[in-house]
Amino acid sequence: MTKENLEFKTEVKQLLDLMIHSLYSHKEIFLRELISNASDAIDKARYESLTNSSIMENEKEWKIKLTADKEAGTLTVSDNGIGMTKDEITKALGTIAHSGTKDFLAALQKKEAKDNPELIGQFGVGFYSSFMVADRVTVISRKAGQDRKDGVKWESSGDGFFTVEDVEKEKKGTDVILHLKEDEKKYLEEWEIRSIVSKYSDYIEHPVVMDVEREKDSELKKGEKVKLKEEEILNSQKAIWLKDKSGISENEYNEFYRHVSHDFTDPARVIHFKAEGTSEFSALIYIPSRAPHDIYYKDYRIGPRLYVKRVQIMDHCEELIPVYLRFIKGVVDSSDLPLNISREMLQSDRQIDIINKNITKKVLDTLEDMKKNEYDKYLSFYKEFGRILKEGIHFDFSRKEKLADLLLFESTKKSPGEYTTLQDYVDRMPEGQEAIYYIIAGSREEAAGSPYIEKFREKGYEVLIMLDEVDDVIMNSLNEYKGKKIKSVVKGDIKLDESEKAEKKKAEKKFKELIELIRFQLKDEVKDVRLSGRLKDTACCLVAEEGAMDPHMEKLLQSMGQSIPENKRILEINPGHPLFEAMQAVFEKEPKSLMLEEYIKLLYDQALLLEGSKPKDPAAFAGAVTKLMVKEAQKA
């Protein structure tokens, strides 16, 4: 077949240009990424070989081989893994089918990757790091189980183009050949290669080998030395999760975390344990210190790697953890599961359920310990993952209380940047306060200035400030804490002071007919009109019924194009505001006054603005306000 000349997709061209023309202080990570890719290719082949023995092609062992050719100036990383077809190699190396590509390119352009080049691995583009040290990269591959004539050769100089052609390849697997730049030839030195493998890939369970030259005694002539090449294993290839904790250093734990997570930071916590009894498994689980760039994307892959008797079965086993712990990374190795277990079998397997419960308990206990003994570290974790963790309140009823104790909140009694817990809130509640109150807002400033908390502030009642769009669902699911009801300050009828009952009844009687008029005029806009128990300085506000959706949630769903059922608000008026005395005077003088009709329209529009909505007819609202301003100016 003739050679095909193809062009990289736009995002790959941008990526290569940035890599080739930028300087990185940790270029050696290219070798870690290639070894990691080779290991993944072997894992796939080994799994397939469980049901198809021909995959091995008469080879006795899986291995990754490094070959340094100083004369040719090439470093080759070879594996006898699954290999690739022509279509697969074109797709895998010519495009980046990854939802976070734009984010990654933005990070590179901001030079965030200069001091943290491990970002390359995090964004799934590890192969392209080869171009940091090579001016040309050749990849020769053959899919396991196919004929030797079905090999494929891919090659590029990182100039925006690549070639693909058919070749013969005797053995299955993939060879990545790096034609090193003149100033990067140090990566051909044995000591340099050993150092990188030891630093980054010692835990890879497949042998990483290299031919090394050693002097040995001659068998032909006594006293003479001869140089012989021997294949030597460079890594310990011990499954770190099966080792005793006492024999693992912090650095080893951190390096393995980077391997499974492609994160460049150290984890916040390491959870390493072995379960015995009804279910036997080993788990090495990490709580990250920072959120992955794509954790909120639909295609984010959830779950630790699943091994059965040291054989990798799945790269991401979502059945091992609840969705609200999807930030967890790591490895689980079971002794009880069958090697040929499938996704369908996992969903109903009792052992998987036991593992899930064990991991969930360990993670939540660890977070509780962090919160108690390493609050600053927990606060950093919560800022990254709190929004995800609180989803458990909604999805995991059995652990609702435990999860509630892990939540942190801003509040009206705390300075900006300081947080409180529900337990601390309850401990501070003054005598007479019956419920825990919260407000959902777009910002702390918006919450602090909200008219909905005026009466709470006057009474000295603390209000939790919720800034995530999911908070309304979460707080409705939680409903109560330690016997205290949880209530939104923008929903339901608020009664904060029983001593004001008589005064309220008097106001209801005084403004009864005016309220009826307002109710009649706004019958198509609001569900009801009533006196407010939450306002002090503001004339009016719109509130939802107790079980209704929060206005912030409504707006979020609408912005996403979702249709929501009509939810008419209740207009609450403040009988102590001078406006209503003025309106009452107009009403008593002329009940059908056009001015009164205008005031009622303005009142409703004002309530809409305070809620964060806009008047139905902004032009009419602006005109009415202007008219009032002119009238007042003329009086002056």
Side-chain angles (χ1 to χ4, degrees), residues 347-361:
Q347 289 165 6
S348 59
D349 193 277
R350 179 174 172 271
Q351 300 299 331
I352 288 293
D353 189 48
I354 292 171
I355 295 172
N356 183 303
K357 286 178 179 176
N358 270 271
I359 290 175
T360 303
K361 184 179 186 307

Side-chain angles (χ1 to χ4, degrees), residues 152-425:
V152 60
K153 178 182 176 182
W154 179 101
E155 191 168 70
S156 176
S157 299
D159 55 358
F161 299 90
F162 62 93
T163 61
V164 179
E165 60 182 306
D166 293 333
V167 295
E168 283 196 14
K169 190 176 187 305
E170 185 179 341
K171 294 182 178 180
K172 71 179 186 306
T174 301
D175 304 327
V176 180
I177 306 160
L178 308 184
H179 305 264
L180 296 176
K181 299 173 183 178
E182 277 303 318
D183 55 350
E184 305 295 350
K185 295 291 177 69
K186 68 176 181 177
Y187 296 114
L188 297 175
E189 301 295 336
E190 181 188 328
W191 63 268
E192 183 73 23
I193 294 171
R194 281 182 180 278
S195 173
I196 296 170
V197 172
S198 175
K199 182 178 179 182
Y200 294 117
S201 308
D202 194 53
Y203 45 78
I204 297 288
E205 66 170 312
H206 311 297
V208 179
V209 304
M210 182 170 66
D211 289 335
V212 295
E213 198 173 73
R214 293 286 179 265
E215 279 193 352
K216 294 207 169 186
D217 293 328
S218 173
E219 294 180 1
L220 300 175
K221 291 184 180 180
K222 278 190 177 184
E224 281 194 13
K225 299 282 187 182
V226 292
K227 289 184 177 180
L228 297 173
K229 281 201 170 185
E230 293 181 346
E231 190 174 86
E232 193 171 304
I233 297 174
L234 306 182
N235 61 325
S236 68
Q237 62 186 111
K238 290 179 182 176
I240 186 172
W241 59 90
L242 298 179
K243 291 168 68 176
D244 189 88
K245 286 192 287 187
S246 61
I248 305 173
S249 68
E250 183 181 355
N251 186 58
E252 285 179 294
Y253 274 131
N254 291 346
E255 277 305 325
F256 186 70
Y257 168 71
R258 292 185 179 96
H259 173 64
V260 295
S261 70
H262 297 296
D263 188 7
F264 62 86
T265 57
D266 292 337
R269 273 292 186 98
V270 178
I271 305 171
H272 189 184
F273 68 100
K274 185 172 184 178
E276 295 176 332
T278 53
S279 179
E280 292 193 2
F281 66 92
S282 295
L284 176 51
I285 301 296
Y286 295 92
I287 298 175
S289 55
R290 58 168 282 164
H293 71 286
D294 57 348
I295 196 164
Y296 293 108
Y297 291 176
K298 187 178 179 181
D299 58 355
Y300 181 72
R301 301 188 69 189
I302 300 170
R305 294 182 179 186
L306 175 62
Y307 284 72
V308 175
K309 300 177 183 71
R310 289 193 62 179
V311 176
Q312 184 175 328
I313 304 301
M314 290 175 193
D315 201 31
H316 297 274
C317 185
E318 59 190 49
E319 290 81 6
L320 291 176
I321 56 171
V323 68
Y324 62 87
L325 295 183
R326 61 184 176 274
F327 49 83
I328 292 302
K329 302 292 183 182
V331 167
V332 173
D333 195 336
S334 172
S335 303
D336 299 326
L337 294 168
L339 280 168
N340 61 347
I341 194 162
S342 66
R343 284 277 181 198
E344 290 72 26
M345 291 166 64
L346 278 172
Q347 289 165 6
S348 59
D349 193 277
R350 179 174 172 271
Q351 300 299 331
I352 288 293
D353 189 48
I354 292 171
I355 295 172
N356 183 303
K357 286 178 179 176
N358 270 271
I359 290 175
T360 303
K361 184 179 186 307
K362 287 281 186 182
V363 172
L364 296 184
D365 286 348
T366 301
L367 291 175
E368 187 178 357
D369 181 70
M370 278 175 67
K371 179 169 156 284
K372 182 180 178 182
N373 299 310
E374 297 178 282
Y375 180 75
D376 288 343
K377 181 181 276 192
Y378 182 77
L379 181 57
S380 296
F381 157 82
Y382 193 82
K383 286 178 179 177
E384 293 285 324
F385 300 106
R387 179 179 166 191
I388 296 167
L389 185 66
K390 67 176 69 167
E391 291 174 14
I393 299 288
H394 181 68
F395 291 112
D396 194 345
F397 183 82
S398 65
R399 298 185 181 92
K400 194 163 66 170
E401 285 279 332
K402 191 173 184 68
L403 285 161
D405 282 325
L406 292 172
L407 304 185
L408 299 178
F409 306 90
E410 291 196 61
S411 90
T412 54
K413 288 286 180 75
K414 291 287 182 179
S415 301
E418 291 185 353
Y419 294 81
T420 187
T421 62
L422 287 173
Q423 184 61 61
D424 289 342
Y425 179 103

Side-chain angles (χ1 to χ4, degrees), residues 392-556:
I393 299 288
H394 181 68
F395 291 112
D396 194 345
F397 183 82
S398 65
R399 298 185 181 92
K400 194 163 66 170
E401 285 279 332
K402 191 173 184 68
L403 285 161
D405 282 325
L406 292 172
L407 304 185
L408 299 178
F409 306 90
E410 291 196 61
S411 90
T412 54
K413 288 286 180 75
K414 291 287 182 179
S415 301
E418 291 185 353
Y419 294 81
T420 187
T421 62
L422 287 173
Q423 184 61 61
D424 289 342
Y425 179 103
V426 170
D427 291 343
R428 285 193 298 270
M429 283 173 62
E431 191 176 342
Q433 183 177 340
E434 297 296 327
I436 296 169
Y437 296 104
Y438 71 92
I439 182 170
I440 294 176
S443 67
R444 182 188 173 89
E445 293 72 24
E446 180 188 325
S450 171
Y452 292 93
I453 66 171
E454 288 175 353
K455 203 75 173 181
F456 295 89
R457 191 184 291 114
E458 182 189 42
K459 293 283 294 179
Y461 288 0
E462 185 172 10
V463 177
L464 298 175
I465 298 172
M466 318 285 284
L467 302 177
D468 289 332
E469 53 268 24
V470 298
D471 285 333
D472 185 49
V473 175
I474 301 309
M475 297 311 271
N476 280 333
S477 297
L478 187 54
N479 192 37
E480 66 173 57
Y481 176 81
K482 301 291 174 74
K484 300 288 184 183
K485 282 286 184 184
I486 296 174
K487 296 188 69 173
S488 167
V489 300
V490 305
K491 293 194 281 188
D493 192 9
I494 299 291
K495 297 182 178 75
L496 297 182
D497 198 335
E498 290 296 320
S499 65
E500 294 178 354
K501 259 186 179 180
E503 196 175 322
K504 190 174 181 181
K505 279 191 175 181
K506 186 179 175 183
E508 282 174 347
K509 186 177 180 182
K510 178 180 179 180
F511 295 114
K512 182 181 178 183
E513 291 183 343
L514 177 61
I515 290 172
E516 284 296 334
L517 177 64
I518 297 171
R519 189 178 284 134
F520 175 77
Q521 188 172 323
L522 298 178
K523 64 181 184 296
D524 294 331
E525 310 296 340
V526 300
K527 187 169 188 176
D528 195 10
V529 181
R530 69 187 180 205
L531 298 184
S532 179
R534 72 193 86 211
L535 297 176
K536 182 178 181 293
D537 302 315
T538 304
C540 64
C541 67
L542 288 170
V543 300
E545 288 192 283
E546 194 72 56
M549 190 181 294
D550 188 272
H552 272 80
M553 178 59 78
E554 283 188 2
K555 289 184 181 67
L556 173 70

Side-chain angles (χ1 to χ4, degrees), residues 564-578:
I564 57 172
E566 186 182 10
N567 181 20
K568 283 186 178 181
R569 304 278 192 265
I570 296 164
L571 179 67
E572 287 193 350
I573 62 173
N574 178 5
H577 197 282

